[in-house]
Amino acid sequence: MTELTEARRAELLAYCRIDELGPGEDVLLAALYSSAVGYMSQAGVSEPAAGTDRRCQYDLCVNYLVLDGYDRREVTITGTIVAANPVFRQLLNQLKFTEPVSDSDTSGE
């Protein structure tokens, strides 16, 4: 699993529009990141190589999951109607459908 580096942490803070984390929220951010990376893996999307377009899409999905987890920490949601973000779902589906096939998957054994 990818470690939450300082550079990646800074990207997440910028994406989530967080200027400063409160007490204990640094641990929360790391847990949300770990959870998002785990979600992607369990969804069948492996972490792409750095510097690729695919990695940018992957990072956007992880960012979305972290922001969603950060914003919706309450047990219940009240107020306006909440709907799934179709752009996130489209990105995730694209990554799943274009997941590289390993040699062991094509061996026919």
Side-chain angles (χ1 to χ4, degrees), residues 21-100:
L21 292 169
E25 288 187 335
D26 206 29
V27 173
L28 172 65
L29 186 69
L32 290 170
Y33 176 74
S34 179
S35 176
V37 170
Y39 178 90
M40 295 296 288
S41 175
Q42 292 169 13
V45 179
S46 59
E47 186 175 340
T52 63
D53 291 341
R54 187 173 173 76
R55 179 57 183 260
C56 292
Q57 292 171 326
Y58 176 90
D59 285 347
L60 283 173
C61 284
V62 169
N63 292 354
Y64 171 83
L65 290 167
V66 170
L67 177 59
D68 186 64
Y70 187 83
D71 279 348
R72 293 200 261 182
R73 291 178 274 171
E74 300 296 325
V75 175
T76 58
I77 299 172
T78 58
T80 44
I81 296 172
V82 177
N85 182 340
V87 174
F88 166 74
R89 181 54 55 192
Q90 291 166 355
L91 271 175
L92 179 58
N93 287 342
Q94 180 70 20
L95 286 168
K96 288 169 74 170
F97 293 143
T98 60
E99 182 68 16

